[in-house]
Amino acid sequence: MKEVTLMGHIIAGYPNFQKSLEAALGIALGGASFLEVQFPFSDPNADGEVIRNACEESLKSGFNTNLGFTLLQTLHTKLLENHCKTKLLIMTYANILFAYGIESFLKRAKESGVFGLIVPDLSLQNDENLFSLAKKFGLENIALLAPHTPPLRIKKLAQKSGSFVYVVARNGITGDCTQITPELLAYIHKVKNNCNKPIALGFGIQSKEQIIALRGIVPIVVVGSAFVKHITQIDSTKDFLLELQSFTQTLLGS
């Protein structure tokens, strides 16, 4: 049975700059192959309550885009020091890029050691040239596929996407648990039939049991809200690096 690789998720600046850095490093050292670092946005339309609340707390404490890049640069340096090959992605919304300037944002991202981006609200037809500009800066812009995406559009998105595609497991928002149903498996099969790139399956993946059930079905699973919820529940006196490293290893069954 093929192993499945993990993409973890943190909110930059939550619960504060230092703790988010420690949490990110813990997830990476725990075995995550990818890590989404979400730049918080005031109205994250794809995110459930756990992530929305974390974004609000980060923004209230003074998070801004430049601090996000500082976090990423520091994290990238620490990953290199630990000989850790976890790939970093920025997940955020279009307004953040517009406010900063898309090319300036991409340039800073590359300088900060970022591998790619996930921007859910920039569609293929209205991407403000993000796909081509990302390629220009040596970054991978990852396309999202939703359950009702028709086959022709799947093919077009897969062609434009970076080295994999992000498949949204169900309609709705993040945080609710996703069941591994025959309908979900049929949807994954449809994507595979129309896509020549690996699939990262996200939205509602929360447990080791779900990850085990997806082995051999998808090569990458995305765990988002479960990481943020775990970070929320950690006592502030605890070592966030060790706590997140242990939680990640538990998810991966190691």
Side-chain angles (χ1 to χ4, degrees):
M1 181 71 74
K2 291 181 180 179
E3 286 302 306
V4 65
T5 59
L6 175 67
M7 183 187 296
H9 189 104
I10 66 153
I11 307 299
Y14 178 77
N16 57 51
F17 182 95
Q18 184 60 31
K19 296 295 187 186
S20 67
L21 175 62
E22 293 170 11
L25 188 57
I27 293 168
L29 295 178
S33 298
F34 303 91
L35 177 65
E36 287 181 304
V37 176
Q38 180 166 347
F39 282 19
F41 181 56
S42 57
D43 186 23
N45 55 22
D47 295 317
E49 184 178 3
V50 170
I51 289 181
R52 282 201 311 270
N53 290 342
C55 285
E56 287 177 12
E57 288 298 316
S58 178
L59 291 168
K60 282 178 185 175
S61 67
F63 173 86
N64 59 50
T65 304
N66 282 326
L67 276 175
F69 287 126
T70 300
L71 177 75
L72 284 163
Q73 182 64 68
T74 307
L75 176 57
H76 178 63
T77 300
K78 289 185 176 294
L79 291 176
L80 292 175
E81 290 171 356
N82 284 275
H83 308 288
C84 181
K85 296 182 179 179
T86 301
K87 294 178 179 178
L88 302 176
L89 297 101
I90 296 173
M91 183 270 162
T92 195
Y93 291 88
N95 277 0
I96 299 286
L97 276 73
F98 294 153
Y100 202 85
I102 292 179
E103 292 204 43
S104 296
F105 188 97
L106 296 174
K107 183 174 184 290
R108 283 294 304 277
K110 185 64 178 178
E111 291 169 350
S112 302
V114 168
F115 163 78
L117 302 102
I118 299 171
V119 186
D121 54 346
L122 280 181
S123 65
L124 186 62
Q125 282 80 18
N126 300 287
D127 76 330
E128 302 295 329
N129 294 318
L130 183 58
F131 281 104
S132 59
L133 287 171
K135 189 175 292 187
K136 171 186 167 184
F137 284 95
L139 295 164
E140 302 210 4
N141 189 39
I142 305 301
L144 273 75
L145 307 180
H148 298 304
T149 306
L152 181 59
R153 185 168 175 81
I154 291 173
K155 290 176 182 177
K156 289 179 178 178
L157 285 165
Q159 185 178 19
K160 282 281 191 179
S161 187
S163 55
F164 62 91
V165 294
Y166 188 124
V167 173
V168 178
R170 55 175 171 70
N171 290 319
I173 55 176
T174 60
D176 296 330
C177 186
T178 292
Q179 303 299 319
I180 313 302
T181 61
E183 290 77 17
L184 175 58
L185 297 178
Y187 163 41
I188 293 169
H189 183 68
K190 181 181 80 169
V191 172
K192 287 181 177 179
N193 281 344
N194 293 280
C195 174
N196 59 358
K197 290 178 179 170
I199 289 170
L201 184 73
F203 269 51
I205 309 301
Q206 303 176 353
S207 69
K208 177 178 70 175
E209 291 72 25
Q210 287 170 302
I211 293 173
I212 289 171
L214 290 165
R215 283 179 181 163
I217 297 171
V218 295
I220 306 165
V221 293
V222 186
V223 176
S225 294
F227 273 114
V228 179
K229 184 177 181 180
H230 189 71
I231 290 167
T232 300
Q233 294 171 340
I234 299 173
D235 187 298
S236 61
T237 62
K238 295 285 184 71
D239 186 320
F240 274 57
L241 191 159
L242 292 178
E243 290 285 333
L244 268 299
Q245 185 174 6
S246 174
F247 182 67
T248 306
Q249 289 169 339
T250 299
L251 283 173
L252 289 170
S254 57

